[in-house]
Amino acid sequence: MKNILITIVLLTLFLAACEKNITIPQPPYESRVSIQGTMEPGTVPSVFIYKTIPYFAEANLSQLFAKDASVKIAGPETSEYLTIDSSYNYIKCEYEYFFKGKILAETNKKYQLTIIFNNITYTASTTTNISAVKIDSIGYTNVFKDIYGEHEGVVPYFHDVAGQVNYFRYEMTRMIDTTMKYREGKIHSPCIGGGSVTILEEGRSVYNDINLDGGQINLVIEPAYSHRKDLITTVRIQSIDKYTYDFYDQLDRQKRGQLNPFVEPVFLTDGQFGKKAIGYFGSIVRSAPVQFIFPE
C-alpha cells in the first residue's frame, strides 16, 4: 500500500512538472459584411448592414455599422436611396443602426437591393408574393424538452396555406422589467431602471411546411424572457421567404452545434450575395395579432 501511495505522489508531481501554458495564435481573419434586409407590404423597407469581427474581438454596434454605405431599393415603378435611422435598445443600453426607406412596399412586386460599401457592390432581389396565415388559437405548456433541457412553451396553432412551399417564424411583443430574467440570468440594465419597456422577441428558429401542406401546424415557442401570471402578450406568425429561412436556419443549427458536442459544427455559407457577404434580402408578411395571457 505504501509503494502505491508513493507511486501516485510521484506521478502527480511528474504531471504537474509537465504543465505548460501555451498561447494558440489566432488564424488570419478577413472581415465580411453582414446584410439583413426585409420587404414587408404596407411598411417601409429596412436594411441592417454591419461588418463582421473575430469571435473574441470587442466592439459596439456603432463601430461595426456600415454608415458609409450607399443603399438603394428599386421596385417596378419606384426607387429610393435609404437613409440612416436607429432605435434604442433599452436592454443593451445602445442604439441599433439601420438604413430605412420612405416608400411603402407593395404586394406582388419585385424589388432590387443595391449596396455599395468600400467600393464593393452587393445586389439581391426579392418578390413580395408571400401569403399570410391566420392563428387559430394559442395554447401553453409548462414544460417541454429539447436538447437544451426543459422549458415552458407558448403554442400557436394555425393552418398552412395549401399548394405552396411555406416558411415560418414567430414573434411575441410584451413588457419586461428588471425583476424578470433573460434565459437563466437576471436582466441587468440601468436604462430600464425601475420601469418597464416593450420588447419584440423574434424566434431565431424557423420552420417549414414539409409534409404538412394545408394542414394544421403548431409551433412551441420558448420565451427568451421570464414572465409573471396574467402578463399580456401579442403573438404573430411571420411567413418568410426561402432566403430568410435559409439564413436563420443556419444560425439555429450553428447554435445547436456550439452547445451540443454531438452536433456537427455549422458555419454560415454564402447566400444571395455569394462570397461577398453573409445575410439575406427577403420578404415577409405577418399574421393578424392574437393576444395571449400567461396562465401562471
Side-chain angles (χ1 to χ4, degrees):
M1 182 68 179
K2 183 177 179 181
N3 291 335
I4 295 175
L5 290 175
I6 293 174
T7 302
I8 293 175
V9 171
L10 291 175
L11 181 62
T12 302
L13 292 174
F14 174 77
L15 293 175
C18 294
E19 220 175 82
K20 183 179 181 181
N21 293 324
I22 61 172
T23 300
I24 301 176
Q26 295 296 315
Y29 181 82
E30 182 179 351
S31 179
R32 300 174 73 186
V33 177
S34 171
I35 301 169
Q36 297 181 51
T38 301
M39 300 296 294
E40 180 180 5
T43 68
V44 297
S46 60
V47 181
F48 293 78
I49 309 173
Y50 285 84
K51 294 169 285 187
T52 65
I53 57 175
Y55 184 82
F56 293 105
E58 295 184 3
N60 58 42
L61 289 178
S62 62
Q63 294 171 313
L64 300 177
F65 178 61
K67 61 181 181 297
D68 298 326
S70 168
V71 184
K72 179 182 179 181
I73 289 182
E77 295 89 21
T78 61
S79 66
E80 64 173 334
Y81 283 93
L82 279 58
T83 57
I84 295 175
D85 202 342
S86 64
S87 60
Y88 193 72
N89 187 320
Y90 284 89
I91 307 298
K92 297 180 179 179
C93 293
E94 64 180 334
Y95 283 95
E96 296 178 342
Y97 297 92
F98 56 95
F99 289 88
K100 183 178 180 179
K102 295 180 179 179
I103 301 175
L104 297 178
E106 298 180 37
T107 303
N108 292 323
K109 303 288 185 181
K110 184 176 181 178
Y111 292 92
Q112 176 83 18
L113 170 68
T114 302
I115 298 171
I116 302 176
F117 179 61
N118 287 344
N119 297 318
I120 300 176
T121 300
Y122 308 87
T123 61
S125 63
T126 187
T127 303
T128 54
N129 58 355
I130 301 173
S131 301
V133 299
K134 177 181 179 297
I135 296 177
D136 301 319
S137 62
I138 299 179
Y140 177 78
T141 177
N142 58 8
V143 61
F144 74 94
K145 295 181 180 180
D146 61 15
I147 63 172
Y148 309 113
E150 294 187 348
H151 318 278
E152 61 180 353
V154 177
V155 189
Y157 293 83
F158 60 94
H159 277 80
D160 177 57
V161 180
Q164 55 187 249
V165 181
N166 300 302
Y167 307 95
F168 307 105
R169 186 184 185 208
Y170 85 88
E171 67 173 57
M172 179 186 294
T173 305
R174 61 191 176 105
M175 303 291 290
I176 65 165
D177 56 49
T178 52
T179 66
M180 299 178 181
K181 293 182 178 181
Y182 176 69
R183 304 197 186 280
E184 300 301 326
K186 290 185 177 180
I187 300 173
H188 299 286
S189 175
C191 301
I192 299 178
S196 58
V197 294
T198 301
I199 60 154
L200 171 66
E201 285 189 49
E202 291 183 302
R204 196 164 86 167
S205 295
V206 287
Y207 309 86
N208 59 56
D209 65 349
I210 294 177
N211 300 322
L212 294 168
D213 185 46
Q216 187 180 67
I217 297 176
N218 65 286
L219 310 181
V220 182
I221 301 167
E222 178 201 356
Y225 295 88
S226 65
H227 61 272
R228 59 177 64 93
K229 187 177 185 295
D230 296 328
L231 178 70
I232 299 173
T233 72
T234 300
V235 177
R236 294 176 186 255
I237 297 297
Q238 298 179 3
S239 298
I240 58 179
D241 70 349
K242 181 71 162 56
Y243 288 117
T244 308
Y245 171 86
D246 286 343
F247 178 76
Y248 283 103
D249 182 54
Q250 286 185 75
L251 283 184
D252 188 43
R253 288 188 288 113
Q254 184 184 65
K255 175 186 174 183
R256 283 182 278 151
Q258 291 172 341
L259 299 180
N260 189 332
F262 301 105
V263 175
E264 183 178 350
V266 175
F267 300 94
L268 298 182
T269 58
D270 305 328
Q272 288 165 283
F273 304 98
K275 296 185 180 300
K276 294 181 179 180
I278 59 174
Y280 64 91
F281 176 56
S283 300
I284 74 166
V285 62
R286 304 167 200 258
S287 69
V290 173
Q291 192 178 87
F292 172 74
I293 302 176
F294 280 97
E296 59 182 44

